[in-house]
Amino acid sequence: MPVNRRFGLVVIIFTIMFILLAARISYIQFYQGRRLDSEASAQRISAVTIEKPRGSIVDKNLIPFTNRMAKSSLVLEPILLRGKNDFIEGLSGILGVNGYKLKEEIDSKKAPIIIETDKEKANEVKSLKGPGVSVLNTLKRYGNYSYLTHVLGYLNKADQVGAAGLEKYYENILKAEEENSIRVVTNANDNILQGIGCRIVKANGDEKKLNIKLTVDYHIQKIVEGTMEEYGVSGAVVVEDINTGDIIAMASNPDFNQNDVGSYLQSPQNELFNRAVASYNIGSVFKVVAAAEAIESGMPLNEDYFCSGVLKLGDREFRCSSYEKGGHGQIGFTEAFANSCNSYFIELGIKLGQKRLLSMAEKFGFGKAAGIGAQGVDEASGNIPSINGRYTDGDLANMSIGQGGIMATPLQVADMMATVANGGIKNKVNIVDSIIDENGKEIKKVRKTGWDRVISKKTADKLNELMEATVSYGTGTKAKPEENFIACGKTGSAETGVYLDGEKVVHGWFAGYFPGNNPKYAVAVFVENGKSGGQAAAPLFKEISEKIYRLKK
């Protein structure tokens, strides 16, 4: 065939194809366009959120407190599972759920059903090779038993937004815009389109998450919480780094499960309440303040005091802890402190007067927040009476032994001990160090720096002697470590004026530091209604200090 004829034939064929295509397009546009447009508009795409990835909260060594445990989410597509009764029965058996209820849910729902499980069960489900089941493997925000829960806070289950603690305070830092979700395509009747209806869309990881780095040491936090659980006490423990003011551990007991917050809302045990930053009567721990002011001011100290076990001021009677034994007898300043003689310190406090006594309390940080509220941990300020108030000798007597409106948090008490152990220098207190990226690089510094001298090094050294004597032979002997190091501290048994089942509620305290010759950690132990600090709180201090010493030596 000549070239011109072949070319003409090709032109004719393409012309015919173009005319047919144009005709088809016209038909679709003018005759079927409205119907197709209506059907397309009737299809809707919605998203079911499985989870929202978040940045982690990590310890000082980048060990995570969150996102530690692997988890699997099963995504069930009801439209593909209906009528598959044998498969549903096998599925419910693996998951340990009621098969009838699961079948009922599958029959009644249109949207995907999401069931959280562990990786082992997810693999068993996959081995069934049934239709309409997908698996998404991610990290669980909280384990069944997490540490530092009162500081971390928790997420709102409905929208996975921070609802309390650091999770809430740093929500805008920790949250990610991407999410793991299921895209669902439905028709005009709101039915999922089979075949294309469900698709898991996983966060692609392009978004860089930010993490919160704390001053807390994960391993010491674990020691503290484990010891409190072992002793079964209700209360709090705070551990502070003496040289830096960093909070190394902060625990409150009873604890709670962050995955099931709702079950604690009406609980009489107040598991959600952070006792480590709440105000309590501190009792004889306050004698550290009275002793500090007496030494700092150069007041002559009575080294030949006679304690009969009771002191009368007007028509009021103040009993010493030695009352039932007939008093301490002849006693000096060091012995009075070590044995927590109320009579001695009441007379000392009256001689000091309210202004000197309460001014020293203010210098140590009582009556004002320690400062971690600005880093996301709500805290009470405690309380001291007004310096300019008018008080009787009876009022001063109560103040001198940590009663009569003297209240402080375990955090404040730990910080007072850190100040003494640090030679009289009070550091800024921190619990959050910085905001970091996924590689640990600092993005923003959060910690505060600075210090103030509260007492002289000479006064601090004398207080150290007093508190070493307390542990060596005084009321704090049960805090004495068996390991080869020295511990220093002070006991406190704080009356509250509250009665429970007909008995006085008396809180137990022991606060101190170790090792005595080169102090590194200050520890405050508070036992709710512990009756006696020397009996209830001191043994916890001993156990915690020994475990930390072994960990760090």
Side-chain angles (χ1 to χ4, degrees), residues 286-302 333 337 344-361 364 387 391-393 396-397 399-401 459 463:
F286 192 74
K287 288 172 183 171
V288 174
V289 175
E293 177 56 33
I295 299 165
E296 188 81 353
S297 64
M299 172 183 282
L301 299 170
N302 190 344
F333 179 58
F337 185 95
Y344 187 105
F345 273 84
I346 286 172
E347 292 204 12
L348 179 66
I350 291 172
K351 288 178 184 177
L352 287 171
Q354 69 198 51
K355 288 190 177 180
R356 287 163 67 180
L357 184 65
L358 296 175
S359 292
M360 180 57 74
F364 271 114
I387 289 177
Y391 305 109
T392 65
D393 282 353
L396 276 171
M399 292 180 206
S400 302
I401 56 174
T459 298
L463 289 173

Side-chain angles (χ1 to χ4, degrees), residues 140-144 146 148-158 160-165 167-168 254-273:
K140 193 171 185 177
R141 187 65 177 175
Y142 313 118
N144 294 326
S146 299
L148 201 68
T149 55
H150 291 87
V151 173
L152 300 180
Y154 50 86
L155 304 181
N156 187 324
K157 261 192 173 181
Q160 298 178 41
V161 169
E167 293 279 27
K168 179 179 180 179
D255 205 351
F256 66 95
N257 185 340
Q258 293 157 295
N259 299 308
D260 188 24
V261 173
S263 65
Y264 301 98
L265 297 178
Q266 303 299 323
S267 171
Q269 303 302 318
N270 292 324
E271 290 91 344
L272 300 177
F273 184 60

